[in-house]
Amino acid sequence: MPFMPLVFVLIWSTGFVVAKFGLPYAPPLTFLLLRFAGVLLVLLPLVLLMRAPWPVGRIRHIAVAGILVQAGYLAGVWCAIKLGMPAGLSALIVGLQPILTAFAAPMVGESVRGRQWVGLLFGLCGVGLVVANKISLIGLSWQSIALCMMALLSITSGTLYQKRFCASFDLRTGTIIQFAASSVAVLPFAIAFEHLTPALDTVQWTPNFIGALLWSVLAISIGAIFLLFALIRKSAATQVSSLLYLTPPTTAVMAWLMFGEAFSVIGMLGMLLAVIGVALVVRK
């Protein structure tokens, strides 16, 4: 499916849009728990009806990868933004992931060629140009920086871990394992820091929140994650990670179309540079 990477980038890039719609009405960890629960409610009955095979012997590895890619990454970014971290700066920090993945590529038996290193640097510079006018130090704290760094390390290590230990598994049952493990990991923190109760008192069930929750469950957590797992299965970790360079430019375009946010000439140049960078990394 040649358009799989493009579809993945488009859906994955809506994550910040979802945050803009949903986070005003629920604490970040509570929102993520509802998102994870929604995925389980949708997929579990389908898996039971279809009698999908369970990955016996690899459940622990799949769960660990899920906690890193889902719970660690999403909780880090969303909590950082809730604490005042500008979305542009968080995108730039997390945008270091392809570079870290490239350095760690030998751990999963992969090598990075000179052309790909050039592409990775192009992509990073492109992301920097796209988010340059959105970066502000207002509201910046060591806690928000630490959370973003946690998210960066979490998704990088999770991608490499999955590539090495459990690159291939049934997407239906594997996704259930990952989101169930992520729920268990996030739950105690939501109770401790967000005063989560069974009544969900901290959630405002507005149309914006419900729409953001449904989209995050069906489109991002099921659609985009299925595509990500398929890409990890068939491609090198560095190539898959480089696609994330296209997320900030695509999100910037979406924010311009939906919210009227400024999109400068420098941002357009950055988007072009990011596209060139990814092309250099993924070209055979």
Side-chain angles (χ1 to χ4, degrees):
M1 184 178 175
F3 295 108
M4 187 186 298
L6 175 61
V7 175
F8 166 73
V9 168
L10 288 173
I11 299 176
W12 193 260
S13 298
T14 62
F16 281 110
V17 177
V18 165
K20 193 175 184 73
F21 276 113
L23 282 183
Y25 307 106
L29 298 181
T30 300
F31 187 107
L32 289 178
L33 276 174
L34 290 173
R35 175 172 168 173
F36 298 160
V39 173
L40 296 176
L41 286 174
V42 170
L43 285 185
L44 190 56
L46 294 177
V47 164
L48 295 176
L49 286 173
M50 300 170 72
R51 297 183 179 179
W54 292 89
V56 179
R58 288 175 295 166
I59 290 178
R60 178 172 59 87
H61 288 312
I62 294 172
V64 170
I67 291 173
L68 291 170
V69 173
Q70 300 296 337
Y73 168 66
L74 290 172
V77 171
W78 283 37
C79 289
I81 292 175
K82 192 72 173 181
L83 287 177
M85 168 73 77
L89 185 55
S90 65
L92 186 58
I93 293 174
V94 177
L96 295 171
Q97 190 221 338
I99 297 287
L100 289 185
T101 302
F103 275 115
M107 296 173 58
V108 292
E110 299 175 3
S111 60
V112 183
R113 290 167 288 179
R115 186 195 73 242
Q116 291 179 305
W117 279 114
V118 173
L120 289 168
L121 292 175
F122 271 31
L124 183 60
C125 291
V127 170
L129 290 175
V130 169
V131 304
N133 66 326
K134 300 177 182 295
I135 291 178
S136 168
L137 299 182
I138 298 175
L140 201 60
S141 64
W142 71 265
Q143 293 96 333
S144 61
I145 295 174
L147 284 165
C148 258
M149 293 302 297
M150 181 195 79
L152 167 63
L153 294 175
S154 187
I155 192 171
T156 302
S157 57
T159 301
L160 292 167
Y161 189 96
Q162 183 162 320
K163 182 68 178 179
R164 180 170 182 177
F165 294 107
C166 50
S168 179
F169 54 82
D170 188 283
L171 295 180
R172 298 161 296 181
T173 51
T175 301
I176 288 177
I177 293 168
Q178 293 206 337
F179 280 98
S182 297
S183 299
V184 173
V186 169
L187 180 60
F189 293 97
I191 294 173
F193 295 107
E194 297 179 355
H195 309 293
L196 176 68
T197 65
L200 298 173
D201 298 323
T202 56
V203 178
Q204 301 176 49
W205 297 93
T206 65
N208 278 354
F209 176 78
I210 294 172
L213 180 61
L214 289 175
W215 179 263
S216 66
V217 168
L218 299 174
I220 302 177
S221 291
I222 294 179
I225 292 299
F226 270 39
L227 291 172
L228 176 62
F229 290 170
L231 289 168
I232 290 175
R233 179 183 299 175
K234 65 180 293 190
S235 305
T238 301
Q239 292 178 322
V240 175
S241 295
S242 70
L243 294 174
L244 299 182
Y245 277 148
L246 300 179
T247 299
T250 306
T251 302
V253 173
M254 291 178 178
W256 171 61
L257 292 173
M258 298 181 67
F259 308 116
E261 294 187 9
F263 192 61
S264 64
V265 174
I266 293 179
M268 295 178 187
L269 177 62
M271 186 172 184
L272 177 62
L273 200 58
V275 170
I276 293 173
V278 172
L280 289 172
V281 174
V282 302
R283 185 164 61 88
K284 301 293 186 181

